[in-house]
Amino acid sequence: MVSRKGDNVAQKNNANGLARAREKSTVKAAAVFLFPALFLIAVYMIYPIIDTFITSGYSWNGISSNKIFVGMQNWKTLLTDMTFWSSFGHNVVVMVFSILLQIPIGMLLATFLDAGGKKFNLFKVIWFLPYLMSSVAIAFLFSYALATNGGIFSSIASMIKGGKVTVDLLGRNPHALFAVIGVMAWQFTPFYMVYFIAGYGNIDTSIYEAAVIDGATRGQYLRTIAIPLLGPIFKTACTMSLIGSLKYFDMIWNMTGGGPAGGTELMATYMYKLSFQQFNMGYGSCVAAGMFLLITLIALLFQKIFVVKEDY
Amino acid sequence: MNGQKEVDYRKEKMKSRIAWGIAILFACIWLVATLVPFIFMIMNSFRKQFDMLAQGVFHFPDPWYFENYVEVATNGFFGYFFRSVIVVAISLILMLIIASCAAYPLSRMKFKMRGLIYAGIVAMMSIPMHVTLIPIFKMTTNMGMYDTLQSLIGPYVTFALPMSVFILTAFMMTIPKEVEESAEIDGCNKYRNFFSIILPLSKSGLSTLAIYNGVSMWNEFAFANTLLQTPANKTLPLALGQFKGEHAMDIPIILSVLVLSVLPMIILFIVFQDKLVKGMMAGAVKG
Amino acid sequence: MKRKFVSIILAAALTGTLLAGCGGSGSDSASTSQPAAEEAPAESDAAEETPAEEETPAAEEEASGEEAAASSTEGKNIPELTTEPLTINLWDIATEGSSKEIQEDAVQRFMADYPNITVNQVHQQNDNYKQQLIVAMSSGQAPDMYIHWGGGPMNEYYNSGFVNDLTEMFNTYDHPDFIEAAVAQSSYDGKILAIPFGGLSGCDIFYNKTIFAEVGIEVPKTIDELEAACDKLIEAGYVPFSLANGSKWTGSMYFMYLVARHSGNDEFNAAYTQENGGTFTSDAFVWAGEKIQDWVKKGYFPEGVNSLSTDDGQDRALLYDNTCAMMLHGSWQTRSIQDDNADWYKENIGVFRFPEDAEAAANGVPQNVEIGTAIGNGFSFNCWNEDGSVDQTKLDACFVLATQYFNDETYNQKQLDSNTIPSINGYEKTIEDPNMQVVAQVFFDASNVQLWYDQYLPASVTEVHKDCMTELFGLQKTPEEIGQEHDAAMQAAIAE
């Protein structure tokens, strides 16, 4: 398929023989390189997602052999389902703040480490710790850290104001959502830090040397050379944060379970509850499919809008 | 002219001092924020549940209590640990190879399907993991792989792929195309180009991916819980379940399991973090 | 430097491949090894992969011990079990501690008596158990015998064809003398669908005896006395109730009891059917909601009650550090507290039943409706032939296992030792722990045991109910609004 299409292109272009041969060999090489990944993705991902779309057309409790085909009924419900759209709203809030918090802080940390060199290795290792902790541990520790009784914030507030002050972060809306966003930022910023360190590491040393010879200071080098060179890296980081926060599940599920009163309900937790706890697999699949479409759409739009200069 | 330059230099130096001061302050605040919860995890793993609840979690162990670790160690922890190492090592290596193969044509070749495949990869990143549980469970039982360690490799590799291809593509794009062109003039074909030029130059991207996916595979729970059922086949994240009862869980014991499972990751990170900063650092230290 | 990196990758790849070889062959041999008779069957998964119809040769060898007499069941009227090899897949959630030991022991004793039958006992994690069951059921891999908590999910499993009707067997054969409430909670649509085995759980107020003595209050008998006691506690600087309502079902306990004290079972049953004017906005529901909100305003609960989680032990923590004096909770808390610190438990913890509503009592509303579960856990059976008829051979074996090995003397004694009261008549007299005696007393004197709303209501209504509990305690919605949301969800569930 791939190679035949490539052939057509080459013929249409009617370029000279050499170019045609090159095009053909490129397509062939591309197919060879891509095959293993595409094969695995087809087996483990395409098939389940198709299955999800099919199930979304049924009214089904997830276990019975009695599946009732309801056509677009679930989709119609989804369009007016306030819980779904408010979950989507929470997801968008989480997304915006994740990108605004995790990426700039990660970038700052990376720049700091990059400028400091080896002597900051201890910083790097400790800063990375949150990312290594599993969601179970994070959920546990933060449900205590944010608790009204003896939690960190309540204790600090009491110390400042004098007397007992209760800071209820997880029990109220919209505070709970922002508390969770804070914890997520704490958990994932270290990854973006490592990611940008790698990005800096990918820049050819000679570029920096040349800049120094030209009399550039470190700051100038960063502003005018390094950061623009990180364009594609920066864009992928944003995309990852975007997709990651739109389908986030783990820590929220362990820490708030979507509560209080749905204040931290996300699309993924809503979908999980419907599918696996409320015997509503048909509609749960519809929510999953809707979620998939929304995330893909937003991610691809982002790719289009956020254009960076590509080297190739 | 000369004087002007001197002033500029001084100003620049002053500015850089202030910048460093602020940066260090910020760095130390962040250091506390990242370290403190971690210390609490370790501290609480050395306490009895009652002491922890009665004294509050933000209290030093009093008295220190080591039995948690003994209990964890004598409950098959090392078996879980070893199986996790096997699964993660195999999955990670396979995944890195397959992902870099796929990223190469997407970043450095021009062909018609490229945009479509790239978009498809982005779409695959958006799949909510839970919808795949039932289909993958069915597939695994049909293949007769249910309750075996091998059954995890397929899902682990595949679910790490889209994002890894996506990131590697970005990394490979930052490699100047002249590098490859000059090699092509030298008579290298695409395949040799990949192995001898592109792959070595992508190592910082590869190590980031190894860290990112290594950690998530190491902590992966949902697939492991669905696809494994015999204790003798289970991986480390499932070991927690041994200490979680129906109504109550022994939190300090769970924390000791978590401490023990995070330690090897920290050690690996300390050993390999150097690889991340090579490239530029060599020059930067001199400068 | 570059070369070093590559060599590390290569070395890692090599080790990986080697390990793959080991790992692969290791688990291969594990999955194809035949269950030798002495091998602990729970450890072997070969049975799992072999449909019961085609037995492995090894399993046939096991069948040699045919004449083995079922010693512990002698003289009892129970179905005669097959002498052919048979494999039963059993799912429970006994992952740790005494429950694991007790349940494994029951299975081992059964297999010792019936050597031809292999029970493949799998301990699932409680958190994800419902998900596991759905995945297995939808893939045609459902276990033959599995635990559940009764209520809405049990009905759902039955309606989907994953539960054998046990009514006839239950009436024909010997079985333990289960208490009435337990049989009722194991039934649906007039059919008996499960065998209880997890013991009963009451719901009562656990209180700190030391604090009560210090403040000088007696155990309250009526809600008015309870409120007076709370006011005294607040005066003395204590928070009356420890509650971690982040888990939602914890706050629901207060709501359920207040409704039950104010109206017995009547208003809830009416609201459940939504017929004859039954509604969640009726008098008792509104009264209960208002009472709770009044208590919240008066400071009867800790601040930020919705942010605390009972899974993380934050409610027990408030008892342990003497912030709070009482806690309304399931009776399993006696075991949790004892596990944490047995001495502290003995010294400080007492229990009393939820006080009565004097006014309602005067109007003839029964005051002995209790909240809780009479079955704790139940086993349902899922034994079918390929043509859809009942696999009676396997069902018989499951029935005997559940009624004669789980639930027998040995089993029940062990349950009692770990502070669980079997839901079988007669055992309440042998309890030693004074608190558990009270729990059992209250439970057995009850005119009716109302199962937790969050298990009794249909799953979709449960979710609404739980969210409403957050909003109730958070003073975000009025009791009327909450009732209306319940009604809407209930009507939607009935319509389905």
Side-chain angles (χ1 to χ4, degrees):
Chain A
M1 178 78 173
V2 175
S3 87
R4 206 192 61 224
K5 272 216 165 161
D7 247 341
N8 290 342
V9 174
Q11 274 162 8
K12 256 185 222 153
N13 287 355
N14 204 12
N16 63 45
L18 188 64
R20 223 172 85 191
R22 265 184 80 161
E23 175 91 31
K24 199 172 169 184
S25 88
T26 303
V27 167
K28 213 176 115 192
V32 169
F33 277 113
L34 279 166
F35 176 76
L38 295 184
F39 173 76
L40 278 176
I41 286 176
V43 173
Y44 283 101
M45 297 180 118
I46 309 255
Y47 159 56
I49 198 71
I50 291 175
D51 194 64
T52 304
F53 274 93
I54 294 173
T55 310
S56 75
Y58 287 87
S59 164
W60 184 40
N61 68 0
I63 54 179
S64 168
S65 52
N66 182 22
K67 276 183 174 182
I68 303 159
F69 185 73
V70 292
M72 298 306 283
Q73 193 54 51
N74 283 334
W75 288 91
K76 275 184 202 146
T77 315
L78 186 73
L79 285 179
T80 55
D81 182 350
M82 281 318 292
T83 315
F84 176 74
W85 291 108
S86 82
S87 310
F88 175 68
H90 296 152
N91 269 114
V92 170
V93 174
V94 171
M95 177 189 86
V96 169
F97 281 91
S98 292
I99 294 178
L100 288 182
L101 287 172
Q102 295 169 12
I103 291 177
I105 299 179
M107 185 100 189
L108 277 177
L109 298 178
T111 311
F112 178 77
L113 292 174
D114 187 56
K118 272 209 157 77
K119 56 180 181 280
F120 286 160
N121 267 357
L122 187 67
F123 278 96
K124 194 198 311 172
V125 171
I126 291 173
W127 282 349
F128 190 63
L129 288 177
Y131 184 68
L132 288 174
M133 285 170 69
S134 79
S135 296
V136 180
I138 293 175
F140 168 74
L141 286 169
F142 276 93
S143 73
Y144 273 93
L146 303 174
T148 42
N149 188 285
I152 292 178
F153 291 93
S154 295
S155 305
I156 293 176
S158 303
M159 239 158 42
I160 294 170
K161 279 198 170 174
K164 197 172 155 48
V165 182
T166 310
V167 183
D168 182 3
L169 289 171
L170 282 180
R172 288 183 298 168
N173 291 322
H175 306 61
L177 189 64
F178 289 95
V180 165
I181 288 172
V183 178
M184 281 174 71
W186 180 85
Q187 183 183 11
F188 288 107
T189 300
F191 169 68
Y192 293 101
M193 170 189 92
V194 165
Y195 185 70
F196 286 119
I197 293 175
Y200 281 127
N202 220 33
I203 298 172
D204 204 324
T205 330
S206 59
I207 296 179
Y208 176 70
E209 276 161 5
V212 170
I213 289 166
D214 289 349
T217 63
R218 250 216 102 75
Q220 285 166 340
Y221 161 73
L222 276 177
R223 273 194 306 276
T224 55
I225 302 176
I227 292 177
L229 267 178
L230 286 181
I233 306 276
F234 194 73
K235 182 181 170 184
T236 22
C238 291
T239 313
M240 274 173 62
S241 182
L242 180 151
I243 293 179
S245 38
L246 286 179
K247 63 176 200 176
Y248 197 61
F249 177 82
D250 273 16
M251 195 263 308
I252 296 238
W253 183 248
N254 282 317
M255 197 157 90
T256 68
T264 59
E265 192 84 85
L266 301 183
M267 290 189 286
T269 55
Y270 183 50
M271 179 266 286
Y272 185 88
K273 283 180 187 169
L274 286 169
S275 303
F276 293 112
Q277 296 191 332
Q278 301 184 18
F279 297 101
N280 204 347
M281 185 67 80
Y283 188 54
S285 297
C286 181
V287 168
M291 182 182 157
F292 168 73
L293 290 179
L294 278 172
I295 302 177
T296 309
L297 189 76
I298 295 175
L300 289 178
L301 268 179
F302 181 80
Q303 298 292 306
K304 279 265 180 264
I305 295 167
F306 195 122
V307 181
V308 290
K309 186 183 153 284
E310 290 183 9
D311 199 42
Y312 198 87
Chain B
M1 188 76 179
N2 230 352
Q4 180 64 36
K5 216 174 183 181
E6 181 69 12
V7 170
D8 269 357
Y9 177 71
R10 272 223 197 117
K11 242 169 124 187
E12 199 62 45
K13 210 173 167 190
M14 204 44 210
K15 252 162 93 188
S16 120
R17 277 234 184 107
I18 294 171
W20 271 110
I22 295 171
I24 299 239
L25 185 75
F26 177 76
C28 289
I29 293 174
W30 195 258
L31 195 74
V32 172
T34 49
L35 192 59
V36 166
F38 193 78
I39 290 176
F40 282 131
M41 179 165 91
I42 295 176
M43 287 297 165
N44 283 313
S45 71
F46 286 105
R47 305 167 76 179
K48 277 186 180 171
Q49 170 124 319
F50 182 82
D51 295 340
M52 181 190 82
L53 293 178
Q55 300 165 341
V57 289
F58 304 108
H59 189 285
F60 273 85
D62 174 33
W64 286 75
Y65 182 73
F66 298 94
E67 288 298 303
N68 294 331
Y69 284 91
V70 177
E71 188 168 342
V72 170
T74 51
N75 265 294
F77 175 83
F78 297 102
Y80 289 103
F81 181 85
F82 184 64
R83 285 186 291 275
S84 268
V85 170
I86 294 174
V87 173
V88 172
I90 297 173
S91 311
L92 199 55
I93 288 161
L94 272 178
M95 194 282 295
L96 288 178
I97 294 171
I98 297 175
S100 39
C101 284
Y104 176 52
L106 289 178
S107 59
R108 312 198 66 82
M109 292 182 196
K110 268 188 181 156
F111 56 98
K112 219 187 172 187
M113 300 276 283
R114 196 185 87 157
L116 190 68
I117 293 179
Y118 193 70
I121 298 265
V122 173
M124 289 304 113
M125 287 167 70
S126 320
I127 291 186
M129 171 264 152
H130 289 102
V131 306
T132 64
L133 279 182
I134 291 177
I136 288 183
F137 178 82
K138 273 188 203 163
M139 227 149 55
T140 312
T141 42
N142 290 342
M143 287 191 282
M145 291 213 303
Y146 178 59
D147 202 19
T148 63
L149 276 189
Q150 298 94 295
S151 66
L152 294 182
I153 294 174
Y156 282 12
V157 171
T158 315
F159 276 82
L161 268 180
M163 201 215 62
S164 305
V165 172
F166 188 70
I167 289 185
L168 270 179
T169 308
F171 266 86
M172 288 182 182
M173 275 178 184
T174 60
I175 301 172
K177 63 180 169 186
E178 295 80 18
V179 180
E180 210 180 354
E181 273 166 6
S182 64
E184 224 156 289
I185 292 163
D186 292 347
C188 277
N189 64 18
K190 293 267 179 231
Y191 304 95
R192 274 196 53 196
N193 256 352
F194 172 65
F195 286 105
S196 57
I197 296 170
I198 300 299
L199 210 48
L201 282 178
S202 311
K203 69 187 175 203
S204 55
L206 282 171
S207 37
T208 320
L209 286 177
I211 291 172
Y212 180 87
N213 293 305
V215 173
S216 39
M217 287 174 188
W218 188 253
N219 290 330
E220 203 284 331
F221 177 84
F223 279 123
N225 191 42
T226 310
L227 298 178
L228 304 175
Q229 70 167 34
T230 317
N233 289 332
K234 285 184 175 175
T235 53
L236 203 48
L238 302 181
L240 287 183
Q242 271 208 328
F243 304 101
K244 252 189 189 174
E246 186 187 347
H247 293 303
M249 54 178 172
D250 193 326
I251 294 158
I253 286 203
I254 286 180
L255 292 179
S256 10
V257 178
L258 291 171
V259 169
L260 284 178
S261 37
V262 83
L263 274 184
M265 304 302 284
I266 296 176
I267 293 167
L268 277 182
F269 183 70
I270 292 175
V271 174
F272 284 101
Q273 48 93 15
D274 248 12
K275 306 287 166 214
L276 275 174
V277 259
K278 260 202 277 164
M280 176 163 180
M281 271 307 138
V285 174
K286 271 181 252 149
Chain C
M1 288 283 250
K2 275 178 192 168
R3 209 165 278 157
K4 200 175 146 206
F5 181 79
V6 173
S7 67
I8 286 173
I9 288 265
L10 273 178
L14 257 175
T15 340
T17 331
L18 282 177
L19 287 175
C22 305
S25 63
S27 30
D28 265 344
S29 65
S31 54
T32 50
S33 77
Q34 290 145 347
E38 56 281 347
E39 194 179 320
E43 297 288 323
S44 142
D45 56 351
E48 177 62 31
E49 292 177 351
T50 319
E53 287 76 25
E54 328 157 18
E55 288 301 332
T56 60
E60 261 154 40
E61 275 164 40
E62 278 178 60
S64 54
E66 271 176 23
E67 78 284 23
S71 51
S72 59
T73 52
E74 231 167 336
K76 284 191 175 164
N77 174 24
I78 56 167
E80 192 161 327
L81 297 195
T82 177
T83 50
E84 298 288 308
L86 181 70
T87 302
I88 296 172
N89 288 318
L90 184 160
W91 278 15
D92 60 39
I93 51 164
T95 41
E96 53 110 49
S98 55
S99 53
K100 178 178 179 184
E101 196 186 302
I102 297 170
Q103 295 183 25
E104 282 183 356
D105 175 69
V107 168
Q108 291 306 323
R109 285 184 292 117
F110 175 78
M111 289 202 294
D113 287 350
Y114 299 98
N116 58 316
I117 300 176
T118 307
V119 180
N120 186 18
Q121 188 177 18
V122 177
H123 308 299
Q124 297 285 0
Q125 284 191 31
N126 184 33
D127 311 356
N128 300 70
Y129 179 68
K130 283 181 183 166
Q131 171 206 323
Q132 292 285 83
L133 207 52
I134 286 182
V135 170
M137 283 176 173
S138 72
S139 314
Q141 305 284 329
D144 304 316
M145 177 171 172
Y146 56 92
I147 182 184
H148 59 66
W149 296 264
M154 176 179 80
N155 310 345
E156 199 80 41
Y157 301 141
Y158 173 70
N159 288 331
S160 306
F162 291 98
V163 179
N164 293 107
D165 180 359
L166 301 175
T167 319
E168 210 188 307
M169 291 178 84
F170 199 79
N171 293 335
T172 313
Y173 299 116
D174 282 353
H175 55 76
D177 181 18
F178 293 116
I179 57 172
E180 220 173 285
V183 177
Q185 285 182 4
S186 307
S187 304
Y188 166 66
D189 203 10
K191 301 180 182 78
I192 295 171
L193 300 180
I195 302 294
F197 73 98
L200 51 88
S201 294
C203 181
D204 300 283
I205 298 182
F206 299 91
Y207 71 103
N208 189 323
K209 291 186 284 194
T210 321
I211 294 180
F212 267 46
E214 176 203 315
V215 181
I217 36 185
E218 296 285 311
V219 165
K221 294 267 182 288
T222 65
I223 292 177
D224 294 335
E225 286 175 28
L226 180 71
E227 287 178 327
C230 288
D231 293 337
K232 267 192 170 178
L233 283 166
I234 290 177
E235 233 166 83
Y238 294 103
V239 176
F241 291 109
S242 175
L243 170 64
N245 199 36
S247 312
K248 301 164 190 165
W249 49 267
T250 37
S252 168
M253 290 173 172
Y254 291 85
F255 186 71
M256 291 187 288
Y257 257 124
L258 287 168
V259 171
R261 288 291 180 263
H262 201 69
S263 71
N265 278 106
D266 296 349
E267 289 193 22
F268 177 75
N269 286 344
Y272 184 77
T273 54
Q274 295 279 314
E275 279 165 14
N276 305 324
T279 157
F280 284 98
T281 53
S282 65
D283 183 40
F285 291 102
V286 173
W287 180 80
E290 279 169 354
K291 204 88 202 152
I292 286 176
Q293 296 198 322
D294 182 38
W295 288 0
V296 171
K297 285 177 198 151
K298 286 202 238 137
Y300 285 11
F301 299 105
E303 290 220 34
V305 72
N306 283 336
S307 70
L308 303 174
S309 147
T310 190
D311 295 335
D312 295 336
Q314 283 171 316
D315 42 8
R316 267 178 292 146
L318 288 168
L319 280 187
Y320 295 165
D321 68 6
N322 289 326
T323 302
C324 298
M326 294 182 275
M327 175 169 82
L328 175 66
H329 221 299
S331 56
W332 60 82
Q333 285 295 339
T334 53
R335 203 166 115 200
S336 304
I337 298 173
Q338 252 182 341
D339 284 349
D340 287 347
N341 189 333
D343 294 337
W344 189 88
Y345 168 82
K346 281 208 189 84
E347 213 171 288
N348 295 301
I349 289 295
V351 64
F352 60 88
R353 68 185 282 256
F354 199 90
E356 301 186 353
D357 178 354
E359 208 176 301
N363 293 335
V365 174
Q367 291 298 310
N368 54 355
V369 172
E370 296 304 318
I371 306 293
T373 171
I375 65 169
N377 308 135
F379 272 131
S380 275
F381 310 127
N382 171 42
C383 306
W384 311 94
N385 291 318
E386 249 162 51
D387 59 8
S389 61
V390 177
D391 181 353
Q392 195 61 42
T393 319
K394 197 182 256 187
L395 187 57
D396 283 348
C398 291
F399 185 82
V400 169
L401 172 59
T403 55
Q404 306 298 333
Y405 292 86
F406 286 90
N407 288 317
D408 71 347
E409 285 291 324
T410 325
Y411 179 87
N412 289 330
Q413 195 50 54
K414 286 188 175 181
Q415 287 273 74
L416 281 169
D417 293 345
S418 69
N419 252 350
T420 306
I421 308 163
S423 28
I424 299 171
N425 284 316
Y427 279 100
E428 71 274 17
K429 294 174 190 81
T430 59
I431 299 165
E432 279 164 22
D433 179 280
N435 289 335
M436 290 313 278
Q437 281 172 357
V438 176
V439 170
Q441 188 74 46
V442 168
F443 202 94
F444 284 93
D445 288 348
S447 63
N448 192 306
V449 177
Q450 171 61 52
L451 183 63
W452 323 107
Y453 288 178
D454 63 302
Q455 276 173 31
Y456 188 76
L457 294 168
S460 54
V461 187
T462 295
E463 216 48 52
V464 172
H465 170 68
K466 288 190 344 196
D467 280 347
C468 283
M469 286 303 114
T470 317
E471 289 157 338
L472 185 68
F473 281 85
L475 306 178
Q476 285 144 335
K477 282 193 180 150
T478 65
E480 285 83 6
E481 287 169 328
I482 281 166
Q484 284 155 10
E485 283 191 31
H486 277 81
D487 281 339
M490 200 66 224
Q491 279 157 13
I494 291 171
E496 251 179 42

